[in-house]
Amino acid sequence: MKKLFRFHRGSLDESLATTVEVSGLDELRKIVSESIAWADRDYYKNICIQKEVHNDPRLPSGWNGISHYVVADFNGYKEQCIGMSNFYESGFIQAGANLGFAVGNFMKVLCEPAVKFIDKLVK
């Protein structure tokens, strides 16, 4: 299933016209952050996808008849709907993957010299 995002607009047709395919929450956040020419990248904060599913049979087939609200904090407002996605991703999975990758790289840098030293001793 393709992961889709669209901005909140006045009508469903206007909203669907903004549909883009994304790789996940990180790319979705980047698109949203870069969407406002007059504001800096930090205008939207705490961008996330709500877990609750909203059924809408009017949606094209790529949306599988569902939407999850994409919300953000901005301009003093909390959890305001800025768009919709056809997938849910909490962000914790990606953060965990990034952390695991970073720890793995750290351990490699930390342990590689010791392993080489031990290999020399053993040979």
Side-chain angles (χ1 to χ4, degrees), residues 53-82:
V53 176
H54 300 273
N55 295 305
D56 190 341
R58 303 171 300 159
L59 294 169
S61 62
W63 286 85
N64 298 321
I66 64 162
S67 291
H68 294 268
Y69 291 162
V70 177
V71 298
D73 301 341
F74 62 94
N75 202 27
Y77 297 100
K78 300 284 185 192
E79 293 188 11
Q80 293 296 301
C81 182
I82 56 170

Side-chain angles (χ1 to χ4, degrees), residues 2-3 6 23 26 30-31 37 44 47 56-57 61 64-65 70 77 79 84 98-99 101 104 108 110 112 116 120:
K2 291 181 179 181
K3 294 181 177 181
R6 70 180 194 271
S23 59
D26 286 341
K30 182 179 179 202
I31 289 168
Y44 288 116
I47 300 167
D56 190 341
S61 62
N64 298 321
V70 177
Y77 297 100
E79 293 188 11
M84 293 80 172
N98 290 344
L99 177 61
F101 183 73
K108 180 179 177 186
L110 185 65
E112 198 169 86
K116 287 181 181 179
K120 286 181 184 178

